[in-house]
Amino acid sequence: MELKSKNKLHGGELSFYQHLSKVNNCSMGFAVYLPPQAQTHQVPVLYFLSGLTCTEENFMIKSGAQKYAAEHGIALVTMDTSPRNLGIEGEDDSYDFGSGAGFYLNATAEPWAKNYQMYDYVVHELPEIIEQNFPIQTNSSSIFGHSMGGHGALTMALKNPGKYRSVSAFAPIVAPTQNDWGIKAFSGYLGEDRSQWEQYDTVELIKNTQNKMPLLIDQGTDDEFLEAYLKPELLVAACEANQHPLNLRMQQGYDHSYYFISSFIEDHLVYHAKYLKSD
């Protein structure tokens, strides 16, 4: 790992790193916030997955989460949303595919399959690096995210029973197989076999999983992407039909931005702390 920068924050330490990812076959960036409690003992960890166009920096700079992570003694980890600067034709042509838009899946279609293995990176490779190099408790992690990252957090939690103690999301893409963002990304990364898409669709997973992990979701009513891309009503219907626990909070007047995230970030840290510190 190469340390890029380090700053003291709320008694803890925020660091940015670059490293060579084995699963993505390229350099990747991630950030770690260690609360002050990490100076004396191991702490639980909460992974945050960012949305389209973001890097590992956006959440750490804009969310204000570190204050609450310090209060509860929880480490925060963010990562870039895709590999970058690979020279793949078309990787920088649009905001919703390629660079900054990995969709937290394992690509199987060329030319993306060699490098775009974000599912394995987030679920397997990065946690191993974090636990090996930082004072992190094993078997004490949770996950949350925003928009595309909310999609990633929900699908990863549902697909990996026991790996995460809790999951939540801000304005997640809950049914990517039913909107233009997901259809574009999945057809490009996974090919045209739609049966392969469903493994990365929260609504479809809810229909077929026995993992009844509770879902906490905040969604702004003035979100510009609400009707065309986010469609929380599809998740509500799936959860009701399959008796899956869901706490969907429609927040009046809020949009899709980090102003929205920062307004409710404390609630999410408190929520995850309840599970992470339950021992």
Side-chain angles (χ1 to χ4, degrees):
M1 298 187 307
E2 178 187 358
L3 177 65
K4 305 297 289 186
S5 67
K6 181 183 293 186
N7 294 94
K8 188 169 184 177
L9 183 61
H10 294 295
E13 198 169 74
L14 173 61
S15 302
F16 290 86
Y17 295 88
Q18 203 77 18
H19 78 112
L20 181 62
S21 166
K22 294 180 180 178
V23 297
N24 286 328
N25 294 294
C26 65
S27 180
M28 293 292 298
F30 68 90
V32 179
Y33 175 71
L34 293 176
Q37 295 87 341
Q39 297 170 18
T40 59
H41 59 266
Q42 292 183 329
V43 296
V45 61
L46 178 56
Y47 291 89
F48 183 84
L49 281 56
S50 294
L52 288 167
T53 75
C54 292
T55 71
E56 67 274 20
E57 293 185 346
N58 297 72
F59 177 81
M60 290 299 192
I61 293 172
K62 297 179 178 181
S63 71
Q66 295 92 340
K67 178 179 186 294
Y68 309 109
E71 291 177 3
H72 293 281
I74 297 172
L76 298 171
V77 174
T78 60
M79 72 295 300
D80 204 347
T81 52
S82 78
R84 296 178 189 267
N85 304 312
L86 300 178
I88 299 176
E89 184 178 356
E91 67 179 343
D92 296 321
D93 287 355
S94 60
Y95 79 97
D96 55 356
F97 186 78
S99 297
F103 267 84
Y104 301 103
L105 50 73
N106 286 337
T108 55
E110 299 299 338
W112 310 98
K114 178 182 178 181
N115 305 105
Y116 277 62
Q117 302 294 310
M118 289 299 295
Y119 179 90
D120 281 350
Y121 180 70
V122 175
V123 174
H124 301 296
E125 184 178 20
L126 186 56
E128 290 179 4
I129 292 171
I130 297 300
E131 292 183 6
Q132 290 171 3
N133 292 278
F134 301 95
I136 300 300
Q137 296 174 5
T138 58
N139 302 315
S140 188
S141 62
S142 292
I143 191 167
F144 67 150
H146 171 232
S147 194
M148 178 185 71
H151 139 77
L154 294 172
T155 56
M156 289 172 180
L158 291 170
K159 286 163 65 70
N160 293 275
K163 183 173 182 63
Y164 303 105
R165 294 197 177 189
S166 54
V167 62
S168 70
F170 296 92
I173 306 170
V174 298
T177 61
Q178 300 185 54
N179 68 56
D180 290 345
W181 276 344
I183 292 170
K184 178 179 180 178
F186 288 3
S187 60
Y189 294 135
L190 302 172
E192 298 301 330
D193 181 359
R194 287 183 172 243
S195 66
Q196 298 301 310
W197 299 7
E198 294 180 356
Q199 63 180 308
Y200 300 111
D201 185 299
T202 299
V203 166
E204 295 302 320
L205 290 171
I206 291 291
K207 296 176 182 178
N208 298 292
T209 184
Q210 299 301 311
N211 178 14
K212 299 299 184 180
M213 175 178 265
L215 311 180
L216 169 64
I217 294 176
D218 277 315
Q219 173 64 64
T221 61
D222 285 13
D223 191 317
E224 60 268 41
F225 304 115
L226 180 59
E227 294 185 6
Y229 297 104
L230 304 179
K231 301 182 178 181
E233 67 277 4
L234 297 178
L235 181 61
V236 171
C239 287
E240 289 179 350
N242 295 275
Q243 294 79 52
H244 196 105
L246 169 67
N247 181 10
L248 172 63
R249 309 192 309 180
M250 299 300 296
Q251 304 292 1
Q252 292 297 316
Y254 285 90
D255 58 18
H256 198 71
S257 71
Y258 269 86
Y259 298 118
F260 160 59
I261 294 174
S262 64
S263 297
F264 300 100
I265 193 66
E266 181 179 9
D267 290 355
H268 285 247
L269 266 292
V270 169
Y271 177 78
H272 290 293
K274 178 178 66 174
Y275 288 94
L276 288 170
K277 303 172 74 175
S278 61
D279 294 343

